[in-house]
Amino acid sequence: MKAVIDDLYLDWTEKELPQAERTKHVHGMHPYLGKFIPQLPEIFLEMFFKKGETILDPFVGSGTTLVVANSFGMNSIGLDISAFNCLLTKVKTDEYELLKLKHELNNVLSKVESSFQDQMDLFNESNNAHLRTNNEYINTWYSEKSIQELLMYKRALQAQEYKYKDVMKIILSRSARSARQVPHYELDWPKEPVKEPYYCHKHKRTCYPTDGALKFLRRYTTNTFNRIKEFSKLRSSADVTIMHTDSRDAKIDKLVDGIFTSPPYCGLIDYHLQHEYAYNLLELKDLSSQEIGPKSNGQSKQAIEDYKQGMIDVFRNCNRFLKRDGKVIIVVNDRFEIYPEIIEKSSMKIQQIVDREVNRRTGRRATNFTENIIICKPV
């Protein structure tokens, strides 16, 4: 097996592995910083596990491991401290009646569109109380028109007994991300709202603040449905379990055949904060104080020690549910060279480490680093 792994080619260039392949079907349903490409679990799950076996991901993130495992007929369990991550993963992996889904998505959108046909009635102060909010974040980052359209969509999906409300919430979240009044080149981490025309480094011209969310609601309704429809051709009947919980003390009611995960990197991303718009608009439970290694903690010596202990606690806990012959595969950039210690103190033994070079440019962001694929077993 070692010789086979050594012969793997994983250093894909942008041309060899374009964005369309990295974000195929539901993988590209919603922007998410810090996710690993689906090609890695596709290769290693198929190499080490079998159809019908159960895979655990204690840092489910955007759900990449669970989506791939399901397409291979493998059962999967995903844990995450982020309510948004759990919602997104659920929507990606759920089973759908496509005709009903399409009808509901078109229905809620038509309700929003029809509500804005009579502008005089809509903007009457006595009629539009439900289209205003006291939420400071929403009032800061959106135009009045965008706020009204987003809140109308939210109200419409809540007012009716739709079966697929979670899908609508993801469409609403993605639309809210795009509708913020931020420079086009700062969609990931905007510094402050823009209210006036500005020079756009992305488009190399003068751009204007976003005014309106309805066009995004329309666009992402179609895009989301098409992605779900595409994945439905690959989706199996394997079990998918998603738990909104802290992986350090989560309890699982079955043994798993393996763990495949990409943990958060120390001091790189605030995982709740990157979807701040969703937490405010959808009123999700915020457990950001329990994140391991958030960017807000920095990369000081103490922050690294805290991160190490958090990871040890996670893997010690999850190994309680791992079969004795199970495999643990961790995809991480171990720039601080701390994972050998983490793995040893988690009662695991490294069998092999595969390095791959990541050199990719997306927009104005360049990524150039080494990703380590660490293959372990319990001891």
Side-chain angles (χ1 to χ4, degrees):
M1 180 66 78
K2 186 179 187 301
V4 174
I5 294 175
D6 287 339
D7 289 339
L8 287 175
Y9 177 70
L10 304 173
D11 301 337
W12 301 289
T13 65
E14 184 75 25
K15 185 177 180 180
E16 292 168 329
L17 189 61
Q19 185 177 8
E21 283 300 305
R22 305 193 306 270
T23 60
K24 57 188 176 181
H25 52 76
V26 293
H27 292 302
M29 182 179 287
H30 193 291
Y32 188 97
L33 298 178
K35 64 182 178 181
F36 61 171
I37 58 175
Q39 285 71 26
L40 292 179
E42 285 174 358
I43 289 171
F44 286 93
L45 288 184
E46 188 171 37
M47 182 175 292
F48 286 101
F49 304 102
K50 301 175 184 176
K51 181 178 180 179
E53 293 187 330
T54 300
I55 308 301
L56 169 65
D57 186 348
F59 300 101
V60 79
S62 64
T64 304
T65 296
L66 272 60
V67 170
V68 173
N70 178 271
S71 70
F72 286 171
M74 299 173 186
N75 304 313
S76 58
I77 301 171
L79 316 176
D80 209 292
I81 202 68
S82 163
F84 179 80
N85 292 356
C86 293
L87 173 65
L88 178 58
T89 301
K90 178 180 183 299
V91 170
K92 286 183 175 183
T93 56
D94 265 355
E95 183 177 10
Y96 297 95
E97 301 172 56
L98 291 176
L99 288 178
K100 185 173 182 62
L101 173 63
K102 187 173 185 178
H103 170 75
E104 290 192 355
L105 295 184
N106 288 336
N107 183 265
V108 70
L109 184 60
S110 67
K111 288 182 183 299
V112 176
E113 292 173 329
S114 62
S115 296
F116 284 92
Q117 289 176 356
D118 189 348
Q119 297 291 321
M120 294 299 294
D121 180 62
L122 181 66
F123 294 107
N124 184 296
E125 283 293 322
S126 62
N127 294 334
N128 73 350
H130 57 281
L131 300 183
R132 287 179 277 121
T133 178
N134 293 323
N135 184 286
E136 182 180 357
Y137 178 89
I138 294 174
N139 288 327
T140 299
W141 290 94
Y142 298 92
S143 70
E144 183 179 358
K145 183 181 179 185
S146 291
I147 292 172
Q148 291 168 341
E149 291 170 349
L150 292 169
L151 293 181
M152 178 61 78
Y153 188 93
K154 179 181 177 182
R155 181 171 183 257
L157 78 87
Q158 291 175 331
Q160 187 142 339
E161 290 303 314
Y162 292 118
K163 181 177 181 179
Y164 298 121
K165 287 188 178 186
D166 285 343
V167 181
M168 297 171 189
K169 291 177 182 177
I170 291 301
I171 293 171
L172 180 59
S173 172
R174 191 176 178 189
S175 300
R177 180 183 187 274
S178 296
R180 293 170 300 168
Q181 293 195 304
V182 302
H184 296 138
Y185 54 87
E186 286 185 351
L187 279 174
D188 292 335
W189 299 112
K191 298 179 180 65
E192 58 184 9
V194 292
K195 304 295 183 181
E196 303 292 337
Y198 61 95
Y199 180 75
C200 180
H201 297 288
K202 178 180 180 180
H203 298 118
K204 308 300 182 185
R205 57 178 169 80
T206 298
C207 287
Y208 297 84
T210 303
D211 186 27
L214 192 53
K215 63 181 178 181
F216 299 116
L217 290 167
R218 293 189 183 110
R219 180 186 306 170
Y220 299 140
T221 293
T222 301
N223 183 271
T224 300
F225 175 79
N226 287 341
R227 289 182 180 279
I228 289 173
K229 182 179 179 181
E230 185 180 355
F231 180 62
S232 70
K233 301 171 187 175
L234 304 174
R235 191 186 185 281
S236 73
S237 59
D239 293 335
V240 179
T241 302
I242 302 160
M243 300 169 60
H244 180 210
T245 186
D246 191 327
S247 298
R248 286 169 285 199
D249 53 26
K251 294 180 175 59
I252 302 170
D253 61 3
K254 64 185 297 184
L255 292 180
V256 302
D257 297 280
I259 296 173
F260 193 101
T261 192
S262 179
Y265 292 178
C266 180
L268 188 62
I269 297 174
D270 291 312
Y271 285 87
H272 282 70
L273 190 61
Q274 73 160 304
H275 301 122
E276 188 175 11
Y277 46 86
Y279 280 90
N280 280 275
L281 189 58
L282 301 178
E283 301 174 77
L284 300 173
K285 186 175 183 180
D286 187 335
L287 298 178
S288 55
S289 62
Q290 298 179 41
E291 282 188 21
I292 298 175
K295 184 178 181 180
S296 58
N297 284 3
Q299 297 179 337
S300 65
K301 184 176 180 180
Q302 185 58 54
I304 294 172
E305 288 301 315
D306 291 343
Y307 173 86
K308 281 165 54 177
Q309 189 58 54
M311 286 297 149
I312 292 167
D313 291 342
V314 168
F315 288 113
R316 277 180 177 171
N317 182 52
C318 291
N319 284 349
R320 297 190 298 128
F321 311 105
L322 181 65
K323 293 180 180 178
R324 290 299 303 168
D325 60 346
K327 283 283 192 295
V328 179
I329 304 174
I330 304 168
V331 181
V332 69
N333 168 230
D334 190 18
R335 59 175 295 194
F336 299 115
E337 299 181 345
I338 55 178
Y339 267 82
E341 180 184 349
I342 289 171
I343 288 166
E344 180 182 2
K345 291 184 176 180
S346 301
S347 299
M348 296 188 294
K349 180 181 180 180
I350 295 176
Q351 292 185 299
Q352 191 170 356
I353 299 178
V354 182
D355 295 334
R356 82 178 197 96
E357 298 304 315
V358 181
N359 189 351
R360 181 172 294 121
R361 176 173 292 278
T362 302
R364 298 180 74 217
R365 293 199 316 274
T367 53
N368 189 356
F369 59 92
T370 299
E371 203 164 50
N372 316 112
I373 303 156
I374 308 173
I375 303 166
C376 325
K377 67 176 184 177
V379 294

